[in-house]
């Protein structure tokens, strides 16, 4: 059982949480977390063609180690026939116009983006693909932090730009701006300087709801959830 002094301290920190946004616990705080992300996703790039600059898109699908998807250009959509990963490189075979397989495309991760190298007409080509990030975050969220069994409601107002998240939080005690934020691989990361130290919260998106754990200066932890305002 918690002593009365600890309960009061915990509740005070939870109330302070309402003044500030919450953030994702860093990898240093979760040592078993693997930073490697999946190749799966939707990407786009701009290349120079005979008629000027053209946009092309690449969709990579992964299921139990098997890769599929499609490359879409001005000439049409071409399926990824197969793919294998070796030494940190995803090598895919893409069908040719009219059928058959093309030469291999080698895809290397560059942060959340992909660098593609392949041969065309005897020349080695390089294309930089940018990941298309789905905006599931922007808007207002009704959130509740659980501190020692006591619910403390607050509101998050979030805006997504690429992978960067900005915005603010508000409660009956006041408002505060987000100091750092990101949305990547289905995880929300918001770091804020609280009045008595950093407050962080780990959150993932499950069925349209944010759910995770908050951490106050590495000393106190708790749960929180949020749903989008209608």
């Amino acid at each position: 059982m918690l002593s009365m002094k600890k309960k009061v301290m915990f509740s005070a920190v939870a109330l302070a949480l309402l003044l500030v946004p919450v953030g994702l616990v860093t990898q240093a705080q979760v040592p078993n977390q693997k930073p490697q992300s999946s190749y799966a996703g939707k990407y786009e790039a701009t290349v120079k063609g005979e008629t000027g600059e053209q946009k092309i898109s690449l969709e990579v699908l992964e299921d139990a180690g098997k890769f599929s998807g499609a490359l879409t250009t001005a000439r049409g959509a071409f399926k990824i026939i197969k793919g294998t990963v070796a030494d940190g490189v995803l090598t895919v075979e893409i069908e040719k116009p009219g059928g058959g397989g093309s030469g291999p495309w080698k895809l290397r991760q560059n942060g959340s983006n992909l660098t593609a190298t392949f041969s065309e007409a005897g020349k080695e080509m390089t294309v930089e693909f940018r990941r298309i990030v789905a905006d599931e975050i922007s808007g207002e969220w009704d959130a509740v932090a659980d501190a020692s069994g006591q619910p403390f409601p607050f509101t998050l107002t979030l805006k997504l730009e690429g992978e960067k998240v900005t915005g603010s939080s508000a409660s009956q005690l006041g408002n505060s701006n987000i100091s750092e934020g990101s949305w990547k691989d289905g995880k929300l990361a918001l770091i804020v300087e609280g009045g008595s130290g950093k407050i962080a919260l780990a959150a993932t998106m499950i069925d349209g709801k944010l759910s995770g754990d908050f951490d106050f200066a590495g000393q106190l932890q708790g749960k929180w959830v949020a749903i989008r305002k209608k």
Side-chain angles (χ1 to χ4, degrees), residues 176-206:
S176 182
N177 293 326
I178 293 172
S179 62
E180 296 180 35
S182 68
W183 168 249
K184 183 178 180 181
D185 297 331
K187 297 181 180 181
L188 179 65
L190 305 172
I191 304 297
V192 178
E193 297 291 337
S196 301
K198 291 185 178 181
I199 300 174
L201 218 121
T204 56
M205 180 82 75
I206 302 175

Side-chain angles (χ1 to χ4, degrees), residues 107-124:
L107 306 176
R108 294 176 173 83
Q109 291 182 324
N110 179 14
S112 61
N113 302 325
L114 290 180
T115 298
T117 56
F118 58 95
S119 295
E120 185 174 294
K123 296 182 180 180
E124 185 173 281

Side-chain angles (χ1 to χ4, degrees), residues 36-43 58-70 80-94 103-110 113-118 127 129 131:
Q36 180 68 31
S37 60
S38 171
Y39 289 91
K42 294 182 179 180
Y43 306 83
L58 177 69
E59 182 175 17
V60 180
L61 303 175
E62 183 178 358
D63 182 14
K66 295 183 179 180
F67 293 90
S68 59
I80 293 177
I81 300 172
K82 62 181 180 179
T84 56
V85 177
D87 298 326
V89 177
L90 171 60
T91 301
V92 297
E93 184 177 339
I94 301 175
W105 280 49
K106 296 184 180 297
L107 306 176
R108 294 176 173 83
Q109 291 182 324
N110 179 14
N113 302 325
L114 290 180
T115 298
T117 56
F118 58 95
V127 176
F129 282 95
R131 182 186 287 270

Side-chain angles (χ1 to χ4, degrees), residues 1 4 16 27 37 44 53 80 84 91 93 95 108 110 151 158 162-163 167 187 224 226:
M1 297 292 290
M4 181 61 67
Q27 289 181 0
S37 60
E44 62 180 16
E53 291 187 344
I80 293 177
T84 56
T91 301
E93 184 177 339
E95 69 177 358
R108 294 176 173 83
N110 179 14
L158 306 176
E163 292 183 350
K187 297 181 180 181
W224 76 290

